[in-house]
Amino acid sequence: DGSELVEVDNYVQANQAAVNEDMFGKYKGRNLIVIQLESLQNFVLQNDMNGYEVTPFLNSLIHDKDTYYFSNFYHQTGLGKTSDAEFILENSLFGLDRGAVFFTHSGNTFNSMSEKLGKNGYYTSVMHANNKSFWNRDMMYQSLKMQKFYDITYYDVNDENSVNWGLKDIPFFEQSVELLAEQPQPFYTRMITLTNHFPFTLDEEDKMIPEYNSNSGTLNRYFQTVRYMDEALKSFFEELKEKGLYDNSIIVMYGDHYGISENHNKAMAMYLGKDEITPYDTALLQSVPLFIHIPGSGDGKVIDKVGGQMDLRPTILHLLGIDTSNDMQLGADLFSDEHEDFVIFRDGRFVTDKYVYADETCFDRATGEETDIQGCKPYIERAQKELEYSDKIINGDLLRFYDEETGNLLSDAVK
Ligand code: GP9
Ligand code: MN
């Protein structure tokens, strides 16, 4: 039954962060374009590789007057990888600790961001040039009330314009802009890139920088595919302008999960100029970039609050003036003064402004030295609790007992 929901609901209500009144609804009615960037980690930003800038376009955005760049933002995905990132964005809940929620619980009731935006007059879609059943997307998108999935059948994919997993990002965005332009407005469209995916291979003509020179071919090629993706984003922004879709949109971009696993620690240490990669370093390397680009805002800045993918949904909905105070969500608005510097990873690790907890060890965030576990204790408990609550909601399909309009538990839940 749904009685478990009472406890979860109390926790969620008690941990609400008040909205930032200056930001709430400031961009009401704008189109929303969310770009989930495949395997993009933060360490390549504002960095070079043997003298070559890896992300010139994204770096230029960091200092752009219309961009909020979150420099201390982390992925929270598990084994569901790309699909977990999608799930977290849509629901502000964790994926599961085993398997992929997109496969295991695609029949659940949710109260997704697409559903909410749909109810607020938005046309909602996903654009991704892969088979619709990959990650069980076609089934899950129905439960998420996504109105349209532009899968591979909507794209012209051939030998010339594909590499690695499929359609290259530059032609993907070129073709997607045509689809965007046909959609009713306002729209919420989520695009998922593909070229910067393991094993990070490219055609010769798309290599804009050389490979790196470590013992890891994976890391060596990663810089090249990231550089290519950065170029694809640059051309996408131009195309949006040409189509007249730029000024009236908000563009949110974030990395979905790590691209370089711990198997490449030796090469990573070489690149980062460290003796070794410790569990502390590995945790901080889970940082992925988050950009909220709002043409005309003029208020852009670099924000170093600690946050994670769970925070995306309330942050975005509030900018568009959509209330989330009744939502069963575990994230908080990154623009809220009450947003806490605390991000929980799916495996129980966490990062705060003071601590990094990894390998069952509490590290001083500033120095990377091991520190008294007492400092981490309260966070360890909360991390466990939030993960457990999220799992309860999903495993018990508890949102079917919840009326998100009123915030009331349906009668079945409280019997
Ligand atoms: C496939 C793409 C990659 O459609 O999203 O998924 P991943 O392997 O990164 O989870
Ligand atoms: Mn991915």
Side-chain angles (χ1 to χ4, degrees):
D1 65 43
S3 58
E4 291 171 313
L5 195 56
V6 178
E7 189 187 342
V8 184
D9 188 34
N10 289 340
Y11 181 85
V12 168
Q13 287 305 321
N15 285 281
Q16 291 264 351
V19 300
N20 178 330
E21 295 295 344
D22 295 335
M23 299 297 274
F24 186 85
K26 194 167 179 189
Y27 302 100
K28 197 176 169 72
R30 283 216 194 187
N31 298 316
L32 169 63
I33 300 170
V34 173
I35 311 175
Q36 195 169 286
L37 302 166
E38 180 57 48
S39 301
L40 185 62
Q41 290 176 246
N42 232 344
F43 75 89
V44 289
L45 273 79
Q46 304 183 88
N47 215 343
D48 66 25
M49 185 281 298
N50 291 340
Y52 297 91
E53 194 176 10
V54 188
T55 57
F57 177 65
L58 291 176
N59 292 346
S60 75
L61 283 186
I62 291 175
H63 305 289
D64 182 282
K65 63 175 179 33
D66 292 340
T67 304
Y68 299 96
Y69 166 65
F70 294 83
S71 58
N72 209 349
F73 181 84
Y74 298 79
H75 84 82
Q76 297 175 287
T77 62
L79 293 174
K81 309 293 301 263
T82 302
S83 69
D84 274 2
E86 296 185 58
F87 184 84
I88 298 168
L89 166 87
E90 288 287 341
N91 301 297
S92 192
L93 295 171
F94 287 97
L96 296 174
D97 63 344
R98 52 194 68 184
V101 59
F102 260 47
F103 276 113
T104 58
H105 292 79
S106 63
N108 274 21
T109 297
F110 297 105
N111 171 29
S112 69
M113 184 161 90
S114 14
E115 181 170 353
K116 280 184 80 87
L117 287 168
K119 284 178 180 164
N120 281 276
Y122 276 74
Y123 182 73
T124 65
S125 65
V126 169
M127 296 181 181
H128 181 53
N130 200 349
N131 298 321
K132 66 177 187 211
S133 61
F134 197 93
W135 279 127
N136 204 31
R137 284 186 173 107
D138 51 343
M139 304 309 283
M140 186 51 125
Y141 288 172
Q142 288 180 34
S143 294
L144 297 177
K145 304 282 180 342
M146 188 57 80
Q147 292 165 27
K148 181 83 181 175
F149 180 15
Y150 296 96
D151 64 12
I152 193 167
T153 62
Y154 289 83
Y155 291 86
D156 173 22
V157 185
N158 53 52
D159 282 353
E160 297 296 294
N161 67 11
S162 50
V163 72
N164 195 8
W165 277 53
L167 184 61
K168 299 177 189 181
D169 290 345
I170 289 177
F172 165 69
F173 282 121
E174 270 167 14
Q175 295 183 36
S176 294
V177 145
E178 301 297 327
L179 299 168
L180 269 184
E182 287 169 12
Q183 295 187 137
Q185 297 188 36
F187 56 71
Y188 157 38
T189 294
R190 188 148 57 72
M191 301 167 149
I192 306 169
T193 70
L194 201 53
T195 307
N196 188 45
H197 192 290
F198 180 83
F200 310 113
T201 48
L202 280 182
D203 289 330
E204 282 307 319
E205 73 255 29
D206 297 320
K207 295 180 179 169
M208 297 165 193
I209 58 175
E211 283 190 19
Y212 185 49
N213 55 312
S214 74
N215 71 347
S216 160
T218 299
L219 180 66
N220 296 350
R221 291 186 303 274
Y222 181 70
F223 295 100
Q224 294 181 309
T225 49
V226 169
R227 177 66 187 84
Y228 173 83
M229 177 166 62
D230 181 83
E231 195 68 21
L233 293 169
K234 182 181 176 187
S235 49
F236 177 60
F237 272 55
E238 288 310 313
E239 289 152 7
L240 281 177
K241 288 175 188 167
E242 282 163 23
K243 284 274 185 247
L245 290 170
Y246 176 77
D247 291 322
N248 198 30
S249 297
I250 289 181
I251 303 157
V252 177
M253 304 186 281
Y254 58 91
D256 63 349
H257 52 72
Y258 66 79
I260 304 300
S261 75
E262 289 173 64
N263 297 334
H264 309 276
N265 272 355
K266 204 170 164 212
M268 276 297 279
M270 173 183 165
Y271 175 68
L272 297 172
K274 292 175 180 265
D275 295 337
E276 58 168 347
I277 301 291
T278 66
Y280 160 87
D281 296 314
T282 301
L284 290 177
L285 278 167
Q286 304 313 304
S287 180
V288 295
L290 166 61
F291 292 89
I292 300 181
H293 181 75
I294 308 179
S297 97
D299 180 45
K301 46 176 90 69
V302 176
I303 299 177
D304 67 358
K305 283 184 191 176
V306 179
Q309 288 165 335
M310 211 78 81
D311 300 325
L312 289 167
R313 172 189 147 126
T315 305
I316 292 169
L317 288 173
H318 291 172
L319 289 172
L320 299 175
I322 298 170
D323 177 58
T324 68
S325 58
N326 285 333
D327 290 3
M328 201 65 79
Q329 60 188 1
L330 291 169
D333 185 341
L334 288 162
F335 290 111
S336 166
D337 294 335
E338 292 175 16
H339 183 281
E340 206 181 347
D341 285 310
F342 179 32
V343 63
I344 301 165
F345 297 0
R346 174 60 257 192
D347 58 11
R349 283 180 291 171
F350 61 77
V351 172
T352 77
D353 49 345
K354 296 196 177 56
Y355 302 110
V356 171
Y357 179 71
D359 208 14
E360 289 171 33
T361 307
C362 191
F363 296 94
D364 181 322
R365 166 148 193 173
T367 64
E369 298 295 323
E370 199 173 326
T371 180
D372 188 349
I373 195 79
Q374 286 310 322
C376 281
K377 268 269 164 59
Y379 295 103
I380 296 173
E381 280 156 26
R382 277 183 52 205
Q384 285 315 320
K385 186 174 270 187
E386 290 203 15
L387 288 161
E388 185 193 311
Y389 284 161
S390 183
D391 290 347
K392 273 188 176 164
I393 291 175
I394 295 166
N395 290 324
D397 191 9
L398 297 186
L399 293 177
R400 72 199 144 116
F401 301 120
Y402 190 68
D403 180 355
E404 69 276 5
E405 301 287 337
T406 60
N408 292 331
L409 308 186
L410 300 179
S411 53
D412 281 5
V414 285
K415 266 181 200 153

